[in-house]
Amino acid sequence: MTTIDASGGGYSYIPGVFQYSAGVAALPGFRIERVRFSRPVPLREGFALAAHIIASAGQPLTAFCACELRSPAPFTEAGFKAFNEGYVSTLADWGVVRDGGNPVARSNVCPDVDPPAEPSFHAFGFTTVAANASPSFVIAGSGEAPEGKGNYRDHIVRRGDLSAEGLRGKARWVLSEMERRMAAFGMGWRQTTAVQLYTVHDVHPFLRDELVRRGAARHGLTWHFDRPPIVDIEYEMDCRAVDTERVVEV
């Protein structure tokens, strides 16, 4: 996998699909900071709050590099495309997306209990100037289907198989994808500060052997009882190495 420096952003990214990149890493002299909202914030309001926070830190909007969204329920593929077109338009207005290239890493998942009424922000990341900062990165969420194939349904790993072995197979694929993306930045599980899992299914039969043994839970594992954003995808993960995080009350 190759990486590209985001223009004016202070970070590099792994090219992905039009709606998001596969991951971002701060360039030398910068660090990624993560801001989580105390409650889900509707998309338009979330973008406005993010813009204010970034400007207050003395950074341009092009420093926006990652976001974590929450949606009411999994989308059909057509619905997901329509949502993403609206989402990307704001990033284009900010100058983040240029010439069709989207550098922002993203996760967008659906709480199974008490979901938001509309797509909303959970958290976002942006770069700040920081001499001698430790390396920081955010790997975008991935479910058990490769991206950029024209559709998800035909490429879902063990589609419809919710047995313990079926879920294990899904987890193995996603864990390998996390490792592949981290490797593009010369990183691995040892550098992560947080790993997040999104599924409503029982992962205990393979938690020890597939996640803990390979180092994916070295600082614990944050399990969100959420569904991935596309119908029929059942298991998603993301991870990060970010040493500066805060919660904003909204």
Side-chain angles (χ1 to χ4, degrees):
M1 303 183 85
T2 59
T3 63
I4 300 172
D5 290 355
S7 179
Y11 64 94
S12 61
Y13 68 97
I14 305 166
V17 288
F18 88 94
Q19 59 263 37
Y20 43 76
S21 74
V24 297
L27 292 172
F30 293 87
R31 69 156 51 96
I32 295 173
E33 298 188 12
R34 179 177 183 262
V35 177
R36 178 170 65 81
F37 296 126
S38 60
R39 60 169 176 83
V41 178
L43 210 60
R44 181 172 299 195
E45 180 186 350
F47 271 125
L49 286 170
H52 174 73
I53 291 168
I54 292 169
S56 296
Q59 289 293 92
L61 291 178
T62 49
F64 184 89
C65 65
C67 67
E68 300 168 47
L69 306 182
R70 298 292 184 266
S71 291
F75 295 87
T76 63
E77 298 210 31
F80 194 55
K81 182 175 185 294
F83 164 76
N84 286 318
E85 288 171 347
Y87 159 82
V88 169
S89 67
T90 299
L91 299 180
D93 290 344
W94 284 11
V96 175
V97 171
R98 298 182 180 181
D99 301 321
N102 188 343
V104 177
R106 193 185 84 187
S107 297
N108 180 9
V109 293
C110 311
D112 191 63
V113 177
D114 193 25
E118 60 184 287
S120 301
F121 268 89
H122 172 71
F124 73 95
F126 69 104
T127 57
T128 57
V129 177
N132 302 316
S134 299
S136 53
F137 63 83
V138 176
I139 301 302
S142 174
E144 73 275 18
E147 293 164 342
K149 297 289 187 180
N151 71 68
Y152 290 95
R153 179 178 174 82
D154 293 340
H155 304 280
I156 295 172
V157 174
R158 302 189 72 153
R159 179 166 60 89
D161 185 354
L162 300 181
S163 69
E165 284 307 302
L167 292 168
R168 183 190 295 268
K170 295 172 182 291
R172 282 178 175 168
W173 193 93
V174 173
L175 286 157
S176 294
E177 180 65 7
M178 294 290 100
E179 292 165 352
R180 188 172 76 102
R181 295 178 181 187
M182 286 189 285
F185 297 124
M187 300 294 172
W189 297 117
R190 289 183 62 84
Q191 286 75 41
T192 57
T193 58
V195 175
Q196 301 188 113
L197 164 66
Y198 310 96
T199 188
V200 299
H201 303 292
D202 184 10
V203 301
H204 291 97
F206 56 85
L207 177 63
R208 179 181 182 183
D209 292 339
E210 303 298 341
L211 281 82
V212 179
R213 285 192 183 279
R214 73 199 300 156
R218 61 189 303 267
H219 293 304
L221 178 70
T222 302
W223 181 355
H224 299 264
F225 200 74
D226 297 354
R227 297 181 183 274
I230 302 290
V231 172
D232 289 334
I233 296 179
E234 305 289 350
Y235 183 102
E236 180 166 336
M237 295 183 76
D238 60 33
C239 57
R240 63 183 182 271
V242 176
D243 61 13
T244 303
E245 302 195 19
R246 59 191 169 109
V247 178
V248 171
E249 292 291 332
V250 289

